[in-house]
Amino acid sequence: DTQLQYLIDFVYSSHSIGSSDAKKLIHILENTLSIYQRSTYKEIYKSFEGSRTDNKEVFYNVMVILEAIALKKKVEFTYMNYDIDGNLIPRREKPYLVSPYYLVNNAGKYYLISVISSYPTIFSFRVDFMKNVIQTDYKAVPMSNISTMKNFDYQSYLSSHIYMMGEKEILVKLELLDLSACTPVYDWFGKKASCYFKDDKIIAEIKTAEDNIIYWALQYSDKVKVISPESTIAKIKDKVQKLKASYEAV
């Protein structure tokens, strides 16, 4: 069954599911396939290596967060970062207390879209970086009370926040240095982007959060050049100068 094979592929590709849990889930799913289907499916090669979470609490975290969202309750958790040895350690001593609104999956990772207190800044927390997640008795701040959450569209948010960072969406124009650059533009930004010819140049317009386009433009600096707004160009130049100085010191 093709749909079941796609589901197995999702488990393989999810960074939020640890290697041990992924193997257990795949074993359960594969047992529903016929012997022929299993033998055919084994011709598709996959890997358990790479960036997979070591956090054993992910499934529990997801269930707690979903229940808190349904009951409109705040959640509390310790947020983790990696140390120099690759171990997850608390980012800060004090736990985070947030109003949870959406749980989304982006590039195989779960994120909680939330706000802290009544501030309008939207925070996206990686669920596999959370420890000691609990649902509190505090009521979540209604979305209608948060200016940035009014008429919030999570699909639009994901399209414009490709790195799950940044806030306000802006319109950015880029010059594409060759036609092949249209592929990463549409591949990353989808309907948030458009490409066209103007004065013998290839132009792309993208609606996205500024932090996202800065890192993306640097990633594809051999294919694209930001031409507006000026404030974004200035920030890219600043990062390039710092990068240049860093490598000159080597």
Side-chain angles (χ1 to χ4, degrees):
D1 185 273
T2 304
Q3 292 178 329
L4 185 59
Q5 290 178 351
Y6 275 122
L7 185 57
I8 293 172
D9 277 337
F10 171 79
V11 176
Y12 268 110
S13 62
S14 176
H15 299 280
S16 296
I17 304 175
S19 181
S20 177
D21 287 331
K23 288 176 181 177
K24 290 176 184 176
L25 283 171
I26 289 166
H27 179 71
I28 292 170
L29 292 169
E30 285 184 335
N31 281 340
T32 65
L33 295 171
S34 68
I35 295 175
Y36 171 75
Q37 287 172 321
R38 277 185 239 173
S39 64
T40 304
Y41 193 67
K42 290 185 185 299
E43 296 303 316
I44 303 175
Y45 295 94
K46 306 169 187 67
S47 173
F48 279 105
E49 301 300 320
S51 177
R52 278 190 177 274
T53 182
D54 294 322
N55 189 348
K56 307 299 182 186
E57 300 176 21
V58 174
F59 288 140
Y60 174 76
N61 293 350
V62 168
M63 295 308 296
V64 173
I65 291 168
L66 287 174
E67 183 175 315
I69 292 173
L71 296 176
K72 294 179 171 53
K73 297 288 188 179
K74 290 185 177 182
V75 292
E76 182 182 280
F77 55 87
T78 301
Y79 202 61
M80 315 294 283
N81 282 340
Y82 281 107
D83 67 8
I84 195 168
D85 296 314
N87 300 312
L88 284 172
I89 60 171
R91 172 184 285 185
R92 69 182 196 186
E93 190 174 329
K94 184 181 178 181
Y96 285 83
L97 180 65
V98 306
S99 295
Y101 299 121
Y102 292 95
L103 191 64
V104 300
N105 188 299
N106 186 54
K109 298 180 178 70
Y110 283 111
Y111 291 85
L112 171 62
I113 296 176
S114 60
V115 299
I116 297 175
S117 298
S118 297
Y119 298 114
T121 303
I122 298 173
F123 288 90
S124 300
F125 292 99
R126 281 265 298 272
V127 173
D128 55 320
F129 282 4
M130 295 180 183
K131 291 274 193 179
N132 309 317
V133 180
I134 60 171
Q135 179 189 143
T136 71
D137 292 327
Y138 300 112
K139 289 184 179 180
V141 179
M143 290 177 64
S144 58
N145 291 0
I146 308 295
S147 60
T148 51
M149 296 304 296
K150 290 178 181 177
N151 304 314
F152 183 82
D153 182 343
Y154 74 89
Q155 292 283 13
S156 178
Y157 181 85
L158 291 177
S159 297
S160 59
H161 293 71
I162 56 175
Y163 299 119
M164 295 303 289
M165 62 189 296
E167 294 183 57
K168 187 178 178 181
E169 189 178 277
I170 63 172
L171 178 63
V172 180
K173 288 187 178 182
L174 305 94
E175 180 184 343
L176 308 188
L177 305 184
D178 62 65
L179 197 57
S180 67
C182 291
T183 297
V185 167
Y186 286 121
D187 188 41
W188 281 86
F189 297 98
K191 293 181 179 179
K192 289 285 182 177
S194 63
C195 298
Y196 55 89
F197 290 101
K198 183 179 180 181
D199 300 329
D200 296 325
K201 294 181 179 179
I202 309 168
I203 305 298
E205 294 188 3
I206 303 173
K207 290 182 179 178
T208 182
E210 187 176 47
D211 285 346
N212 291 261
I213 198 64
I214 288 172
Y215 286 105
W216 186 87
L218 289 171
Q219 180 180 348
Y220 287 96
S221 58
D222 61 328
K223 292 180 177 291
V224 308
K225 179 175 68 175
V226 175
I227 56 176
S228 78
E230 288 295 333
S231 57
T232 303
I233 296 172
K235 290 177 182 178
I236 292 175
K237 286 181 177 180
D238 180 62
K239 287 191 179 295
V240 169
Q241 288 299 322
K242 288 178 179 178
L243 183 65
K244 182 175 181 288
S246 176
Y247 276 93
E248 285 178 343
V250 174

